[in-house]
């Protein structure tokens, strides 16, 4: 797998496609209200409408520009820090440009139809549905909605009060699946996951942990250093750990947010070589 395409795809276009049935219909919102009087450690509580309102309703915005720094480590290599410009047009596209010393190195775009990206250093490109990213992350469920929610620090997996148990302590809230979560793709394959999410007392998402039952693959996404922007909150640091049949970690340091509109040009040069999913 090409280094800069891995960095681009894993680093921020991490994850939607019509060929996948999403596990995501959530996205944490942005309340700053802090829970009062934490209860006993891991004591079950009822997941009421307020909890789901806080953790599932996504923020309202038209566009968001993020300046970020990305580091990626894999089983075979460590990639140096690159600068990234990430532009999210709400529910429509995630665009990204990677650069080093102010020279563009790679560019890509994700839409509900799939992903495209190219790497200038070795003249390669991809044009795919989200199978590419799901295979990269050892998952089966990533779609455009979950990609956007993941980047914004919102709940990107389906949760409910029938198949999850909510507990509360001084650290906040923990939502853990009580039955394996079955996720079926359109080609008829089914995977089962154990899922656990940890939220701060003010409902900021702190950690998401997924373990595939039958393959021993794991994905962990952690958020910290949350920042109040406009009328919602965003994480400054995102850490993604991939374990199992693939190993790696991705670190994103978001250094600046603004809602300036910008042009997002993208076209694959005609003399580039396509990379196929393997």
């Amino acid at each position: 797998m090409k280094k800069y395409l891995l960095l681009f795809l894993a680093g921020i276009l991490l994850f939607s496609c019509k060929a996948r049935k999403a596990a995501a219909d959530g996205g944490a919102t942005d309340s700053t209200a802090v829970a009062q009087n934490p209860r006993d450690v891991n004591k079950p509580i009822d997941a009421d409408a307020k909890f789901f309102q806080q953790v599932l309703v996504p923020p309202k915005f038209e566009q968001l520009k993020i300046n970020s720094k990305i580091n990626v480590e894999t089983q075979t290599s460590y990639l140096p820090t690159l600068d990234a410009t990430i532009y999210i047009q709400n529910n429509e596209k995630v665009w990204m440009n990677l650069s080093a010393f102010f020279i563009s190195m790679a560019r890509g775009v994700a839409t509900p139809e799939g992903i495209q990206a190219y790497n200038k250093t070795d003249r390669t490109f991809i044009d795919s549905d989200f199978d590419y990213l799901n295979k990269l992350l050892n998952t089966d469920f990533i779609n455009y909605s979950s990609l956007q929610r993941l980047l914004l620090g919102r709940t990107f997996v389906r949760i409910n009060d029938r198949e999850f148990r909510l507990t509360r302590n001084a650290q906040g809230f923990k939502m853990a699946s009580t039955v394996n979560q079955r996720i079926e793709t359109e080609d008829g394959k089914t995977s089962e996951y154990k899922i656990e999410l940890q939220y701060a007392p003010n409902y900021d998402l702190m950690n998401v942990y997924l373990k595939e039952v039958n393959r021993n693959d794991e994905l962990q996404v952690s958020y910290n250093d949350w920042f109040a922007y406009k009328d919602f909150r965003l994480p400054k640091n995102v850490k993604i750990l991939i374990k199992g049949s693939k190993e790696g970690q991705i670190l994103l340091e978001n250094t600046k947010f603004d809602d300036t509109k910008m042009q997002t040009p993208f076209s694959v040069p005609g003399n580039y070589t396509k990379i196929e999913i393997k």
Side-chain angles (χ1 to χ4, degrees), residues 61-120:
F61 67 96
E62 292 185 8
Q63 65 275 329
L64 180 66
K65 179 183 176 183
I66 306 172
N67 292 337
S68 184
K69 295 183 181 295
I70 301 177
N71 287 281
V72 173
E73 293 184 34
T74 70
Q75 291 171 297
T76 59
S77 64
Y78 169 79
L79 303 182
T81 301
L82 290 182
D83 296 318
T85 300
I86 306 157
Y87 185 77
I88 302 175
Q89 194 168 332
N90 195 16
N91 296 324
E92 294 186 20
K93 68 179 174 181
V94 175
W95 177 93
M96 178 178 170
N97 184 74
L98 284 176
S99 62
F101 303 106
F102 305 103
I103 300 173
S104 178
M105 308 292 288
R107 183 169 292 181
V109 63
T111 68
E113 285 69 42
I115 58 171
Q116 292 180 299
Y118 64 85
N119 173 15
K120 290 184 176 180

Side-chain angles (χ1 to χ4, degrees), residues 4 10 12 38 46 103 106 124 147 162 178 184 209 213 216 274:
Y4 286 107
I12 195 82
D46 292 331
I103 300 173
T124 57
L147 163 63
R162 300 180 303 280
T178 56
E184 183 177 351
Y209 173 76
V213 176
N216 203 36
K274 185 176 181 180

Side-chain angles (χ1 to χ4, degrees), residues 79-213:
L79 303 182
T81 301
L82 290 182
D83 296 318
T85 300
I86 306 157
Y87 185 77
I88 302 175
Q89 194 168 332
N90 195 16
N91 296 324
E92 294 186 20
K93 68 179 174 181
V94 175
W95 177 93
M96 178 178 170
N97 184 74
L98 284 176
S99 62
F101 303 106
F102 305 103
I103 300 173
S104 178
M105 308 292 288
R107 183 169 292 181
V109 63
T111 68
E113 285 69 42
I115 58 171
Q116 292 180 299
Y118 64 85
N119 173 15
K120 290 184 176 180
T121 60
D122 62 3
R123 297 179 177 273
T124 57
F125 76 97
I126 63 168
D127 185 354
S128 173
D129 60 26
F130 277 74
D131 278 343
Y132 192 100
L133 296 184
N134 277 291
K135 289 183 178 181
L136 182 66
L137 293 163
N138 296 340
T139 59
D140 291 306
F141 59 83
I142 297 300
N143 72 352
Y144 179 83
S145 177
S146 56
L147 163 63
Q148 182 173 308
R149 294 171 190 273
L150 185 149
L151 295 177
L152 297 177
R154 299 318 192 261
T155 304
F156 59 88
V157 294
R158 182 186 299 122
I159 58 174
N160 57 61
D161 59 358
R162 300 180 303 280
E163 298 177 327
F164 284 75
R165 178 175 180 261
L166 181 65
T167 57
R168 182 175 170 188
N169 55 36
Q171 286 70 49
F173 302 91
K174 182 173 74 173
M175 186 67 109
S177 58
T178 56
V179 297
N180 294 340
Q181 299 299 294
R182 294 172 60 87
I183 299 169
E184 183 177 351
T185 61
E186 290 189 0
D187 59 8
K189 296 181 180 179
T190 300
S191 299
E192 295 188 7
Y193 291 85
K194 293 183 181 296
I195 300 175
E196 183 177 299
L197 306 96
Q198 180 71 42
Y199 300 89
N202 68 343
Y203 304 104
D204 286 345
L205 183 58
M206 299 169 60
N207 188 70
V208 181
Y209 173 76
L210 300 98
K211 178 178 177 62
E212 188 170 357
V213 176

Side-chain angles (χ1 to χ4, degrees), residues 33 224 231 240 255 258:
N224 60 57
D231 58 351
I240 300 163
T255 58
D258 68 62

